[in-house]
Amino acid sequence: MIMNETKPNGALAHRVTELSLNRTELALLERSADEPAWLLSARKVGRARFAELGLPTLHDEDWRFTNVAPIAKMVFKPRLEPGRHGVTEKVLSRFPFTALAGGQLVFVNGQFAPELSSLALLPAGVKVMSLAAVLATEPALVEPHLCRHARADSNAFTALNTTFFQDGAFIYVPAGQAVAEPIHLLFVSTAKDHGTTAHPRNLIVAGRGSRVTVIESYVSLSDAAYFTNAVTELVAGDNAVVEHLKFQDENQQAFHIATVAAHFGRASNVVTHSIALGAKLSRTNIYATLAGEGLECILNGLYLTRGEQLADHYMVVDHAQPHGASHEYFNGILADKSKGVFHGRILVRPGAQKTDAKQTNKNLLLSDDATADTKPQLEIYADDVKCTHGATIGQLNDESIFYLRARGIPREKARRMLIHAFAGEIIDRVRCAAVRQELDRLVWDRLEQNQKIEGSP
Amino acid sequence: MKQPILAIQNLSADVEGRQILKGINLTIYPGEMHAIMGPNGSGKSTLAAILAGREGYNITGGEVIYCGQDLLALDPEERACEGVFLAFQYPVEIPGVNSTYFLKAAYNEIRKHRGLPELDAMEFLAFVTEKVKLLHLPEDLLKRPVNYGFSGGEKKRNEIFQMAVLEPKFAILDETDSGLDIDALKIVAHGVTTLKRPDNAQLVITHYQRLLNFIVPDFVHVLYDGRIVKSGGKELALELEETGYDGMIHATAAPA
Ligand SMILES: Nc1ncnc2c1ncn2[C@@H]1O[C@H](COP(=O)(O)OP(=O)(O)OP(=O)(O)O)[C@@H](O)[C@H]1O
Ligand SMILES: [Mg+2]
């Protein structure tokens, strides 16, 4: 896929709408001809939508702060063939969440690697497998959900993913079943060439009254500027209890765009976390549809950036039914010249009475050159609702630092305690203890590293 | 004569170009308890903050010798490790930092500085439980973030609790009595009195004679417009109660 970008430095240049397909991709499109008709037509729609929409520019309201021109400028390389690409279990073990009791599915450059994957014993009827495999064997299981929640309509990257996705994870928990241990989906990139692209597509279906915890992590063994364009559809049935954590730690050159399209049923209880540590540019779109009455969801997120990284979170919380509660908490810790973006839209549809929607976005700037843009957007069409939002952008509080120092704690340590506390507000919301502890250690280490790179002020 | 714990000589300081301290002289010996009284805005908290090492003050003259060393040359954390303690007039809420974790970190920094082994979590907990009783603090406060959501009185008691744990050589109490009910005031006063030893000293800033009924100072100083205009024994506090600051200043200002 080679995208035509005519203007140099064209931050606001023409939309990129042409997809020039390379041979591998053409072959893929042909191969997909034996896919179910409903999927083929979804792909067709995706392709058409992309041609219409093109990659967003800074003129698009939803992309005002995040310039994807570097992605548009990439000369996309053919995707890599399936295989391990030198990845071994030992190599994987250095990545977080790989020692959890639930086991994992591993994807190398977007392709399922069965020989690196292993799972703990699952309750009857629970399926954890590659999406390509289930499409080949039991397409009826995915048909009600796949491409129904992540809609290509308004999001060019979802349209792209829908057109090109080959594989990803499929998790299905039948009604009433509980999966005790967290399931880890590990996406690792070994791309050596600039522009190597993967479009992972995941579908997680938690049936009525079921329970499951899923971690989706994106990590890297390369230093090339590759591009991950992931889409996850997450469906929580009535009364389901779901914890979902997306962990992004791509390399510092990589581009990462991901969409989590979530659909929550009546009285379900879902918490989804987005942790963004890596990538040169990352954008996570979370579309949450509160489709049933009396449900509760928490959208929780933490982004840590340094250098010239940009981490963007874009959220649409759609209250479609009464008595729904949604709480969004996003904290960013921004060092050097990095940038954080948060855009939170809350939509309360007519009839979604007694909605309780809350949104907070807090940004901690560790340097004078770091910036944060935060934009709440409330659209409320019901009258008996409670909606609050708050955003802060600021530096570490000097009074707090002085208080700690006045008790004997050195300045650097005091700073770190405060930064860690700020991250801790988010990490503490992770319910699964093993995941929380691992994440806490990891974020702590990363903060220490970033501090070292940044140097003492 | 023994060495003073604190010797302030002719200390002057500016904040943002405005002179706040205008030549303070004050000497404190081991075993002494001093009280500073003075009207709002006279510079009491400024003096306390400068002694504890807060940034943002411009020292324009004078010096402060603490146990024989130049106090103003030390960072706040070094001062704390050397035994200086400030009970804040307005303790800061620090969400996300657990009280016990914070206090253990502080305590161990000070121990490290003194060449003592650090206490582990269990040892520290045992040690702290004793001190909690002294201040009648609800133990669950220790499980909460530092000062976070504490009532005004709890914050003040927490300051003295920290003092009890860190065992400073020189403690400055900035209006620790303000906002305390009478029972809490007695508890705090009892705590402070208990912590008094022949080898340490305390400087108590207050507006009220009330506190001095419970904590009996050896000396009382009146700070007025950046200067100590009068010093005396505990009876000076009573006199102030009678005359007010203005009355006292006019009497003092009249040349003999
Ligand atoms: N950071 C600052 N910037 C400007 N002025 C300041 C600053 N800090 C203190 N001041 C001024 O210095 C003066 C002395 O303040 P200080 O807080 O020391 O008074 P105080 O004696 O403690 O008063 P109170 O009894 O009300 O606590 C006040 O006029 C105050 O406004
Ligand atoms: Mg004061």
Side-chain angles (χ1 to χ4, degrees):
Chain A
M1 181 170 68
I2 293 165
M3 301 183 143
N4 301 333
E5 176 61 58
T6 43
K7 284 189 190 169
N9 304 321
L12 298 170
H14 302 304
R15 282 177 189 279
V16 177
T17 56
E18 287 292 306
L19 300 181
S20 314
L21 303 182
N22 62 46
R23 222 176 300 138
T24 323
E25 266 150 349
L26 281 175
L28 267 167
L29 281 184
E30 275 155 34
R31 202 195 313 160
S32 62
D34 41 84
E35 285 181 339
W38 58 265
L39 181 54
L40 283 177
S41 85
R43 289 197 192 272
K44 222 161 142 188
V45 169
R47 212 176 158 194
R49 283 307 285 160
F50 182 79
E52 249 170 79
L53 290 166
L55 286 185
T57 71
L58 295 178
H59 290 310
D60 290 84
E61 189 51 31
D62 292 345
W63 293 83
R64 256 173 62 196
F65 304 111
T66 299
N67 184 3
V68 296
I71 297 180
K73 280 199 207 91
M74 279 181 139
V75 176
F76 286 83
K77 284 282 178 336
R79 80 192 67 218
L80 296 165
E81 286 305 310
R84 286 186 178 208
H85 297 273
V87 179
T88 60
E89 279 183 39
K90 184 147 175 273
V91 168
L92 292 182
S93 68
R94 79 161 92 130
F95 292 119
F97 312 118
T98 50
L100 293 171
Q104 62 208 351
L105 293 189
V106 177
F107 297 82
V108 178
N109 304 313
Q111 320 266 1
F112 181 47
E115 66 283 10
L116 294 170
S117 304
S118 71
L119 291 164
L121 199 63
L122 294 164
V126 174
K127 289 183 195 300
V128 179
M129 61 198 291
S130 105
L131 183 67
V134 72
L135 274 169
T137 56
E138 280 181 280
L141 208 50
V142 300
E143 186 182 351
H145 306 291
L146 193 66
C147 306
R148 314 263 165 198
H149 305 295
R151 309 196 49 103
D153 305 10
S154 57
N155 182 327
F157 290 101
T158 300
L160 260 188
N161 178 289
T162 302
T163 313
F164 290 115
F165 80 77
Q166 259 186 297
D167 209 348
F170 172 62
I171 297 179
Y172 176 77
V173 186
Q177 288 288 16
V179 183
E181 301 295 344
I183 297 164
H184 184 203
L185 311 175
L186 177 59
F187 295 85
V188 52
S189 175
T190 66
K192 290 192 181 54
D193 298 317
H194 183 90
T196 306
T197 301
H199 301 281
R201 181 78 170 218
N202 305 308
L203 174 62
I204 301 165
V205 181
R208 178 189 294 264
S210 69
R211 282 175 170 265
V212 66
T213 299
V214 180
I215 303 158
E216 218 181 282
S217 57
Y218 296 86
V219 298
S220 170
L221 285 169
S222 92
D223 26 87
Y226 61 87
F227 174 37
T228 300
N229 178 37
V231 172
T232 296
E233 291 174 277
L234 170 64
V235 184
D238 296 350
N239 297 298
V241 179
V242 178
E243 176 155 34
H244 171 259
L245 185 143
K246 175 174 171 281
F247 174 79
Q248 184 273 107
D249 194 17
E250 310 265 27
N251 78 37
Q252 295 279 316
Q253 307 306 318
F255 298 92
H256 177 98
I257 308 266
T259 291
V260 177
H263 190 87
F264 306 142
R266 185 172 50 76
S268 60
N269 184 314
V270 182
V271 44
T272 174
H273 316 275
S274 172
I275 312 294
L277 307 183
K280 184 189 184 76
L281 181 159
S282 76
R283 157 95 165 204
T284 303
N285 304 300
I286 302 175
Y287 300 91
T289 305
L290 284 68
E293 286 193 31
L295 68 86
E296 252 182 70
C297 64
I298 293 175
L299 313 185
N300 190 43
L302 175 68
Y303 41 101
L304 256 53
T305 56
R306 63 180 166 87
E308 299 193 359
Q309 283 183 290
L310 181 153
D312 179 348
H313 280 91
Y314 175 87
M315 222 117 337
V316 180
V317 175
D318 181 348
H319 281 263
Q321 294 290 330
H323 296 280
S326 67
H327 294 164
E328 298 167 61
Y329 307 94
F330 279 76
N331 283 10
I333 302 176
L334 314 168
D336 306 329
K337 291 181 175 164
S338 67
K339 182 172 171 180
V341 178
F342 177 87
H343 183 147
R345 180 170 166 219
I346 296 173
L347 171 62
V348 182
R349 293 188 188 267
Q353 300 295 7
K354 305 285 182 194
T355 283
D356 171 12
K358 181 169 145 185
Q359 178 188 97
T360 38
N361 172 231
K362 300 203 275 184
N363 295 281
L364 180 57
L365 307 181
L366 297 182
S367 93
D368 293 338
D369 298 324
T371 53
D373 290 298
T374 176
K375 186 183 163 198
Q377 193 185 343
L378 305 180
E379 284 171 61
I380 301 169
Y381 302 104
D383 51 13
D384 186 10
V385 301
K386 203 171 93 192
C387 289
T388 60
H389 67 88
T392 60
I393 300 171
Q395 313 237 341
L396 282 174
N397 183 334
D398 286 338
E399 281 297 295
S400 305
I401 293 178
F402 177 61
Y403 189 85
L404 297 173
R405 293 179 77 193
R407 295 295 178 255
I409 297 168
R411 180 207 294 267
E412 264 318 296
K413 198 162 178 178
R415 276 173 53 87
R416 273 178 255 160
M417 274 171 91
L418 295 174
I419 297 168
H420 191 219
F422 189 79
E425 291 175 17
I426 300 299
I427 295 170
D428 285 347
R429 284 197 194 87
V430 175
R431 291 174 181 168
C432 175
V435 174
R436 185 177 61 244
Q437 281 153 17
E438 187 156 359
L439 186 64
D440 190 53
R441 263 198 307 276
L442 191 128
V443 167
W444 179 248
D445 286 350
R446 193 59 60 93
L447 286 168
E448 293 281 293
Q449 258 178 43
N450 288 4
Q451 292 269 317
K452 258 178 234 141
I453 292 164
E454 195 190 357
S456 302
Chain B
M1 182 112 200
K2 45 184 179 172
Q3 189 189 43
I5 284 194
L6 192 77
I8 304 176
Q9 268 152 35
N10 210 18
L11 181 67
S12 302
D14 278 5
V15 178
E16 286 164 16
R18 202 183 122 203
Q19 200 179 5
I20 311 287
L21 301 187
K22 304 176 178 172
I24 303 262
N25 290 293
L26 179 64
T27 304
I28 299 176
Y29 287 95
E32 291 179 354
M33 160 104 60
H34 290 239
I36 290 190
M37 304 182 79
N40 295 134
S42 56
K44 303 181 298 297
S45 292
T46 303
L47 175 62
I50 288 173
L51 294 179
R54 179 186 301 219
E55 284 159 13
Y57 302 96
N58 180 25
I59 310 296
T60 53
E63 60 173 11
V64 180
I65 305 298
Y66 170 74
C67 298
Q69 56 181 330
D70 178 3
L71 184 71
L72 302 180
L74 302 179
D75 282 337
E77 55 268 37
E78 292 171 325
R79 299 182 197 195
C81 287
E82 291 287 337
V84 175
F85 180 92
L86 169 63
F88 285 66
Q89 182 173 4
Y90 304 108
V92 188
E93 296 200 7
I94 311 184
V97 176
N98 172 275
S99 289
T100 308
Y101 171 77
F102 149 70
L103 202 52
K104 177 168 153 279
Y107 184 70
N108 277 333
E109 287 295 337
I110 293 172
R111 281 181 70 93
K112 224 164 37 183
H113 184 81
R114 294 183 185 158
L116 297 169
E118 298 185 23
L119 292 195
D120 66 24
M122 294 298 287
E123 293 166 325
F124 184 70
L125 206 65
F127 167 67
V128 143
T129 313
E130 285 305 303
K131 307 286 181 177
V132 167
K133 286 187 199 133
L134 179 67
L135 273 303
H136 299 247
L137 269 183
E139 259 182 69
D140 76 281
L141 285 190
L142 286 178
K143 297 186 182 125
R144 295 191 2 212
V146 179
N147 293 321
Y148 188 67
F150 287 20
S151 76
E154 285 169 345
K155 283 181 188 165
K156 296 301 181 81
R157 264 191 287 165
N158 190 34
E159 293 292 290
I160 304 307
F161 164 65
Q162 292 177 25
M163 175 179 159
V165 170
L166 302 178
E167 295 175 330
K169 184 180 273 184
F170 175 58
I172 309 153
L173 278 55
D174 192 357
E175 294 197 31
T176 302
D177 52 334
S178 311
L180 290 182
D181 65 41
I182 188 69
D183 293 342
L185 182 71
K186 283 185 189 162
I187 291 167
V188 161
H190 172 73
V192 172
T193 312
T194 311
L195 296 170
K196 200 176 159 178
R197 289 200 320 245
D199 63 343
N200 67 17
Q202 292 158 341
L203 178 62
V204 177
I205 296 170
T206 183
H207 283 291
Y208 306 107
Q209 150 66 21
R210 190 177 71 149
L211 176 70
L212 305 181
N213 286 335
F214 299 107
I215 300 179
V216 184
D218 303 299
F219 300 94
V220 175
H221 310 277
V222 178
L223 185 64
Y224 189 91
D225 190 24
R227 288 187 187 89
I228 290 180
V229 294
K230 195 161 187 180
S231 297
K234 61 176 187 292
E235 65 290 343
L236 189 56
L238 292 168
E239 190 187 318
L240 260 178
E241 200 96 323
E242 293 283 313
T243 60
Y245 292 113
D246 274 346
M248 176 173 288
I249 299 315
H250 289 130
T252 314

